[in-house]
Amino acid sequence: MDVRLILPGGVTTHTADELPALLTREDGIVWVDVATCDPEAATTLGDAFGFHPLALRDAAVRNRVPKVHPYTDHVFVILHAPHSGARGHVHYVELDQFIGPRYLVTIHGPVNPAVPPDVPLRQTRDVLRRIESGRFSPASAFELSYAIVSAISRLQETMVEDVTGEVWRLEQRVTAGHLGNPEQFLEELFQARHGLLAVRTMAALGGAIYGRLAGLPRAVPADAQHLVADVVDQFARVRTVADGEREYLQGVIEFYKARTDTKMTIAAERLAVIAAITLPITALSSVYGMNLIVNDHTQTSHLVAVLVIMAVMSATLLGWARRQGWW
């Protein structure tokens, strides 16, 4: 648990035991960043801030959808950031926030063990570096939260851009006919669609949560309402871009399916032509085969004549199929 007091002149670091005294100060913002909400951390937060036990329980477990719960003196918000995993899987990296009048509590995870431990902390650490370098000086807890949530929306937008680059590469392979292994190519198509769908879902649900928060004026101070509205706009932009790229990818998938279906149709037609061409051979062979080739008494002249007839009939059928445009 990292406890910091953000002052106009910089940031000071403190211990959890100092929280009661820090919360009485009005000259700064108390920021508590918790990597994992274990029972000890939950007890500390409950004693110092008086958070509802249900909210602390939600902060200690994985939540599959975002949430917002307004309380008398603070707001509890759950959001998700994306992280690209193995084989195109998109991990939901959870961030929980308790936003109060002069404090912000951020809680990370729990996350999938496959996610590197530093991934959930990237947004908060980036904001902390900006504050420590003097490039950012939040005037309120909502402004500090806004900076962190904006970093999440930028991460979502970056992931959409990365997946879009993959979609363009796939489209070039489809149009050029360089598909390679069809199963592998289909897997890459579906991985790209999964990535866009996952980010689109995160942005849509995040926008819905902050949209609801914007409709609760008692939960959001007047000087922070424009920040909440801007977060809603950020998530809406990510959702719109993801929707557009998903439709574009769907066009690539349909083009690939049409091209594959056409190839299969052509192959089926050619196989049908081959079957028609070889039908006379099969028929004549079944009639004459056993009579012309019988141990040492093969009738060579008759056999040659039959083979010539077979070749002429097959060639005639092949020429007719070509004139019909079937071959």
Side-chain angles (χ1 to χ4, degrees):
M1 179 182 296
D2 297 322
V3 180
R4 303 180 182 90
L5 180 65
I6 302 175
L7 300 167
V11 182
T12 58
T13 303
H14 302 269
T15 64
D17 295 335
E18 299 177 82
L19 275 174
L22 293 174
L23 291 174
T24 62
R25 299 181 57 166
E26 297 184 358
D27 58 342
I29 303 169
V30 177
W31 181 11
V32 180
D33 193 37
V34 183
T36 303
C37 189
D38 54 23
E40 181 180 357
T43 300
T44 301
L45 295 176
D47 293 341
F49 295 93
F51 293 148
H52 197 283
L54 292 179
L56 290 173
R57 186 197 64 182
D58 284 343
V61 299
R62 294 184 67 180
N63 295 274
R64 294 172 176 80
V65 295
K67 298 179 182 179
V68 57
H69 292 295
Y71 293 95
T72 303
D73 58 346
H74 67 276
V75 178
F76 177 55
V77 180
I78 298 175
L79 292 176
H80 293 102
H83 174 69
S84 298
R87 299 181 62 83
H89 179 67
V90 178
H91 295 283
Y92 282 58
V93 181
E94 183 175 332
L95 175 68
D96 305 333
Q97 300 177 88
F98 291 91
I99 312 172
R102 302 294 301 177
Y103 64 80
L104 173 67
V105 178
T106 50
I107 301 175
H108 306 274
V111 296
N112 190 308
V115 177
D118 64 311
V119 168
L121 306 174
R122 287 178 181 174
Q123 283 72 47
T124 52
R125 286 180 176 175
D126 289 345
V127 172
L128 177 61
R129 282 193 290 268
R130 290 172 55 197
I131 296 174
E132 291 175 337
S133 64
R135 293 181 291 117
F136 175 51
S137 180
S140 67
F142 264 97
E143 189 173 347
L144 176 59
S145 171
Y146 168 79
I148 298 171
V149 176
S150 296
I152 291 177
S153 72
R154 286 194 299 271
L155 178 61
Q156 294 174 351
E157 194 169 7
T158 299
M159 186 167 180
V160 172
E161 183 177 354
D162 292 341
V163 177
T164 298
E166 180 66 15
V167 171
W168 287 6
R169 187 183 65 82
L170 293 171
E171 182 203 23
Q172 291 172 357
R173 289 173 60 186
V174 171
T175 55
H178 301 152
L179 304 179
N181 187 331
E183 292 184 3
Q184 178 64 30
F185 186 76
L186 278 175
E187 184 175 351
E188 293 178 18
L189 282 174
F190 292 138
Q191 286 176 358
R193 186 167 68 176
H194 166 68
L196 290 173
L197 183 60
V199 177
R200 192 264 181 204
T201 301
M202 292 182 197
L205 295 180
I209 290 301
Y210 269 81
R212 180 167 182 258
L213 188 59
L216 301 172
R218 293 183 180 180
V220 182
D223 60 350
Q225 290 178 1
H226 70 287
L227 300 177
V228 175
D230 188 70
V231 168
V232 174
D233 181 70
Q234 290 182 43
F235 283 132
R237 185 176 64 252
V238 174
R239 182 193 63 196
T240 301
V241 174
D243 279 338
E245 293 301 330
R246 189 176 57 164
E247 291 180 7
Y248 186 80
L249 175 60
Q250 186 61 34
V252 175
I253 294 175
E254 291 176 359
F255 183 33
Y256 169 74
K257 289 175 61 179
R259 188 163 190 166
T260 303
D261 291 344
T262 301
K263 288 184 176 181
M264 292 182 65
T265 301
I266 293 174
E269 290 176 350
R270 290 183 175 179
L271 288 173
V273 171
I274 292 173
I277 292 172
T278 57
L279 181 60
I281 299 176
T282 304
L284 289 174
S285 298
S286 63
V287 173
Y288 289 100
M290 294 303 296
N291 296 326
L292 296 177
I293 305 175
V294 181
N295 299 327
D296 298 331
H297 303 289
T298 300
Q299 302 178 24
T300 305
S301 60
H302 198 173
L303 175 60
V304 171
V306 171
L307 291 175
V308 170
I309 293 173
M310 291 180 181
V312 171
M313 294 178 68
S314 296
T316 302
L317 287 173
L318 179 59
W320 178 76
R322 285 180 173 175
R323 287 194 299 273
Q324 298 297 320
W326 297 350
W327 189 265

